[in-house]
Amino acid sequence: MKLLFIYNANSGKLNALFHVGHKLISPSTYNCRLCTLTHDVFSENSTWKNFRSQSPFDMEFYHKDEFESKFPNVKMLYPTILKLNGNEISTVLSADVLNEISDIEVLIERLKQSF
């Protein structure tokens, strides 16, 4: 079993620069709550990084374009967190749920409660 984290952002250096600028200039309109929770403006959030390094979960992280290339038949709203068990994919936390999560500690607790 793996947890798949899909950000509502495309990959690439130019896109990364755009997203950093957006977070700096207008953080309230930034459209990837998962990124906002797990990353500060320039780097990964330290609480999240510690959780990831100590977590028993096998995790994979994707930008939406990377996910859609690897899983072309899976359609959903981003950001999202999924569970991949064999060939079956199920939703752990949907975009709507992620958008309601207030901080990284709440996200971590929700993930722990999911299993």
Side-chain angles (χ1 to χ4, degrees):
M1 186 214 42
K2 291 182 184 179
L3 288 178
L4 308 179
F5 296 79
I6 302 94
Y7 294 100
N8 189 24
N10 286 319
S11 61
K13 291 180 182 180
L14 187 57
N15 285 318
L17 286 173
F18 171 76
H19 291 287
V20 166
H22 193 159
K23 284 182 182 181
L24 285 170
I25 294 168
S26 185
S28 65
T29 64
Y30 189 68
N31 64 356
C32 184
R33 187 70 184 148
L34 182 59
C35 184
T36 301
L37 290 166
T38 61
H39 288 74
D40 299 324
V41 173
F42 297 108
S43 63
E44 189 173 18
N45 176 292
S46 61
T47 302
W48 176 248
K49 190 173 186 176
N50 290 336
F51 169 73
R52 274 193 328 99
S53 68
Q54 297 171 5
S55 175
F57 304 126
D58 187 11
M59 301 180 196
E60 290 184 2
F61 297 86
Y62 296 94
H63 293 93
K64 64 183 180 181
D65 62 320
E66 297 165 330
F67 178 78
E68 290 171 356
S69 290
K70 187 166 183 176
F71 300 94
N73 296 324
V74 179
K75 305 297 181 204
M76 67 195 49
L77 297 175
Y78 304 108
T80 191
I81 301 173
L82 306 172
K83 177 172 66 171
L84 176 63
N85 197 0
N87 290 327
E88 298 210 15
I89 293 178
S90 59
T91 302
V92 175
L93 297 173
S94 67
D96 289 339
V97 172
L98 285 169
N99 287 332
E100 297 298 320
I101 293 177
S102 58
D103 60 47
I104 191 61
E105 287 83 8
V106 174
L107 173 61
I108 290 169
E109 191 55 38
R110 291 291 299 267
L111 288 171
K112 288 178 181 178
Q113 290 173 358
S114 296
F115 296 94

